Amino acid sequence: MPIQLTSQAYCKMLLHAAKYPHSAVNGLLVAEKTKEKKKDSHSDPVLCVDCVPLFHGTLALAPMLEVALTLIDTWCKENNYIIAGYYQANERTKDSRPNQVAEKVAARISENFSDTAIVMVDSGRLTMSCFEPIVLIYDHHENKWKNREVTSDSFEDWNEAQKITSALLEGRSYENLIDFDNHLDDLRNDWTNPVINKSVLDLC
Amino acid sequence: MRSSTEISWKKTSSRVLWTSDWAEEMRDKLRKWREDTCRNSEQIVDVGEELISEHASKLGDDIWIIYEQVMIAALDCSRDDLALICLQELRKQFPDSHRVKRLTGMRLEALERYDEANKHYDAILQDDPTNTAARKRKISILKAQGKSTEAIRELNEYLEQFVGDQEAWHELSELYINEHDYGKAAFCLEELMMTNPHNHLYCEQYAEVKYTQGGLENLELSRKYFAQALRLNNRNMRALFGLYMSASHIAASPKVSAKVKKDNMKYAAWAATQINRAYKLAGRGTKENKCSIKAVEEMLESMQITMS
């Protein structure tokens, strides 16, 4: 089942990458939990309604990642979400392939969600206008992560996503984006990003 | 201290007062950012651009270091126009300076003209083989080109000569972590801990590396260093979480004796109480954070179940 991104999920990923242009960043994608899997639901896309920005800088250390995964999993359960994917932007703009960290985290997520996707943000193509989607979506097929073509179908509403993301980038909203690292620096920082979520809603 | 001429100047125009104070305030801000080595390049460009174009005369001798700081920030923000202005002023003032030559090289790096940048750095090193800045720029170029193995090799050679360079040891530890060579990353952090025994961040990072390496012995070591980091700074949340996670994993391991299990459950329980306390303190008066507190409580509870 392919994933689809809402405007909120897409723009927060890009804001995270824009906030730390000289670092790698990563985060989790969450989807609403559906009650049952229907027999013919193979072609229904999984809608990733939101994302939780995790870390910036060194991504390859385990302990805080474990804390984040457990905490966010608990939060998901309370909000009827499920962790459905993982996103990452690499440190170097010319490199947009998933690395060992991405594959490991995705494997961990797959234990609870069979159609886990890896979304790589191609920060080399990040612009204010966001005229084209700059994500690469990878699905797990036959033990390998394969790149799928990204079209406007990969979004709930590409025009809305483009408009909102561009507006927030111009307004430098990324300065207020909170990731899990920021939360660990000061517990009052809220990684659910209610302020940015409200800005997104206001722009819809 | 304000001179008498400044005081009378202020009395004549309140707008001039604001301008003069603003320039001084921004100059102090820029100095603080330099001292803290912040990489808040957009802010530096915003403040610095106005400062150097409108208030250069009020900056005194600070102007040269400010040109350097603003130039580097401008490169970070792809503002080559601003970077060039700063660079040209510096070239005029310090025509034969190696320090300015290095900035010329950095501009070329920003434009991805790496071969030309390397030529500049090699010229500096011809003249002065001990110039550490030029050597580090060459290593940065390797990193930017994705040549991690070469960058690691060059940085190791550099550290054989300049064994006290903390920044370099830290950079090397990061390069090793990105290559998943946790053993060597730990070695670099050990060097840093030795020379900076009171730095809680190095302790905590070392503990994270050991934890990631895995295995019972490394887990116990990581727990000890998370605890040490907490002793050095009892507000380090990463150390607190790390202590909780490492102690919990050790307690849950089938390979440990009953005593070790009991001790670690005690450490984990202590850490859990401290974590809950920290969240309650942070959540005071805010509705939003209630979900975080609940999530943390549930997480700690669920882990307790796996331990027993």
Side-chain angles (χ1 to χ4, degrees), chain B residues 267-281:
Chain B
Y267 302 141
W270 178 84
T273 327
Q274 298 303 310
I275 293 172
N276 269 319
R277 215 168 126 239
Y279 269 90
K280 290 218 162 68
L281 238 101

Side-chain angles (χ1 to χ4, degrees), chain A residues 22 58 60 62 64 66 70-71 74 78 91-92 94 100 172 174 181 183-185 187-188 190, chain B residues 39 42 46 112 143-146 177 180 182 211-212 237-238 245 249 279 282 288 294 296 298-299:
Chain A
H22 49 272
T58 311
M64 298 307 123
E66 273 187 47
T70 318
L71 212 58
T74 312
E78 280 175 31
E91 190 179 12
R92 294 175 51 239
K94 292 198 161 53
Q100 209 180 99
R172 294 204 195 174
Y174 47 82
D181 260 332
H183 176 74
L184 291 171
D185 289 336
L187 293 184
R188 292 166 298 182
D190 191 346
Chain B
R39 196 170 173 173
E42 273 189 314
D46 283 347
E112 295 183 69
K143 198 179 164 191
Q145 293 173 314
I177 291 170
H180 305 282
Y182 300 109
Y211 183 108
T212 311
M237 272 321 284
R238 288 182 180 81
M245 298 294 285
H249 281 307
Y279 269 90
E288 294 88 37
K294 189 148 185 265
V296 168
E298 287 197 23
M299 170 187 117

Side-chain angles (χ1 to χ4, degrees), chain B residues 199-232:
Chain B
N199 186 316
H200 65 105
L201 296 170
Y202 292 150
C203 261
E204 186 262 306
Q205 273 195 310
Y206 179 75
E208 285 200 57
V209 169
K210 282 294 165 192
Y211 183 108
T212 311
Q213 260 185 300
L216 195 54
E217 219 177 286
N218 285 325
L219 265 180
E220 294 198 305
L221 215 56
S222 90
R223 193 208 64 230
K224 291 190 176 127
Y225 279 90
F226 278 128
Q228 177 64 4
L230 273 173
R231 262 178 234 119
L232 294 170

Side-chain angles (χ1 to χ4, degrees), chain B residues 106-144:
Chain B
M106 282 179 83
R107 178 178 167 262
L108 291 167
E109 283 185 61
L111 297 169
E112 295 183 69
R113 284 151 61 176
Y114 296 123
D115 291 334
E116 288 175 63
N118 266 320
K119 285 209 179 86
H120 273 79
Y121 301 138
D122 288 334
I124 297 175
L125 289 167
Q126 268 281 37
D127 223 28
D128 174 14
T130 66
N131 190 303
T132 56
R135 276 184 81 164
K136 288 200 258 195
R137 283 326 307 164
K138 285 178 68 80
I139 294 170
S140 301
I141 290 178
L142 289 171
K143 198 179 164 191

Side-chain angles (χ1 to χ4, degrees), chain A residues 104-119:
Chain A
K104 275 202 166 130
V105 181
R108 179 79 178 263
I109 298 171
S110 304
E111 287 170 18
N112 291 327
F113 187 79
S114 50
D115 292 303
T116 303
I118 295 180
V119 176

Side-chain angles (χ1 to χ4, degrees), chain B residues 25-289:
Chain B
E25 203 189 316
M26 290 304 121
R27 188 192 60 192
D28 292 340
K29 265 219 169 109
L30 285 173
R31 185 190 307 124
K32 183 162 198 304
W33 290 335
R34 281 196 306 272
E35 284 166 12
D36 295 342
T37 56
C38 299
R39 196 170 173 173
N40 51 337
S41 302
E42 273 189 314
Q43 271 184 304
I44 295 174
V45 162
D46 283 347
V47 165
E49 188 167 23
E50 178 154 351
L51 215 56
I52 59 184
S53 57
E54 309 281 322
H55 308 279
S57 53
K58 298 180 199 79
L59 300 172
D61 277 333
D62 271 3
I63 188 148
W64 307 113
I65 202 163
I66 288 176
Y67 271 131
E68 182 183 46
Q69 183 181 14
V70 174
M71 189 214 151
I72 295 175
L75 291 180
D76 238 5
C77 299
S78 293
R79 285 288 311 275
D80 193 47
D81 57 318
L82 180 58
L84 214 48
I85 291 171
C86 297
L87 188 56
Q88 281 160 351
E89 290 298 316
L90 287 166
R91 274 188 187 140
K92 262 195 296 193
Q93 183 71 8
F94 307 101
D96 296 312
S97 155
H98 279 161
R99 189 162 164 175
V100 175
K101 209 178 178 80
R102 167 195 167 233
L103 292 174
T104 307
M106 282 179 83
R107 178 178 167 262
L108 291 167
E109 283 185 61
L111 297 169
E112 295 183 69
R113 284 151 61 176
Y114 296 123
D115 291 334
E116 288 175 63
N118 266 320
K119 285 209 179 86
H120 273 79
Y121 301 138
D122 288 334
I124 297 175
L125 289 167
Q126 268 281 37
D127 223 28
D128 174 14
T130 66
N131 190 303
T132 56
R135 276 184 81 164
K136 288 200 258 195
R137 283 326 307 164
K138 285 178 68 80
I139 294 170
S140 301
I141 290 178
L142 289 171
K143 198 179 164 191
Q145 293 173 314
K147 299 179 180 167
S148 340
T149 322
E150 284 102 320
I152 288 175
R153 191 187 56 222
E154 294 292 317
L155 195 42
N156 267 300
E157 268 181 47
Y158 170 86
L159 280 164
E160 277 172 30
Q161 230 185 307
F162 299 98
V163 116
D165 191 331
Q166 324 256 314
E167 177 188 66
W169 279 111
H170 201 255
E171 180 65 42
L172 187 56
S173 79
E174 278 183 20
L175 287 174
Y176 277 130
I177 291 170
N178 288 334
E179 296 300 304
H180 305 282
D181 195 338
Y182 300 109
K184 299 217 178 84
F187 178 81
C188 298
L189 287 163
E190 280 161 15
E191 282 288 330
L192 286 166
M193 287 194 296
M194 241 182 1
T195 48
N196 300 274
H198 300 296
N199 186 316
H200 65 105
L201 296 170
Y202 292 150
C203 261
E204 186 262 306
Q205 273 195 310
Y206 179 75
E208 285 200 57
V209 169
K210 282 294 165 192
Y211 183 108
T212 311
Q213 260 185 300
L216 195 54
E217 219 177 286
N218 285 325
L219 265 180
E220 294 198 305
L221 215 56
S222 90
R223 193 208 64 230
K224 291 190 176 127
Y225 279 90
F226 278 128
Q228 177 64 4
L230 273 173
R231 262 178 234 119
L232 294 170
N233 179 344
N234 62 4
R235 296 200 309 201
N236 186 326
M237 272 321 284
R238 288 182 180 81
L240 195 50
F241 269 120
L243 175 60
Y244 176 77
M245 298 294 285
S246 51
S248 304
H249 281 307
I250 296 169
S253 164
K255 298 185 202 164
V256 299
S257 67
K259 179 177 192 306
V260 170
K261 185 182 169 104
K262 189 164 166 229
D263 286 342
N264 279 281
M265 284 182 76
K266 230 177 33 188
Y267 302 141
W270 178 84
T273 327
Q274 298 303 310
I275 293 172
N276 269 319
R277 215 168 126 239
Y279 269 90
K280 290 218 162 68
L281 238 101
R284 268 210 212 123
T286 54
K287 270 191 218 152
E288 294 88 37
N289 262 322

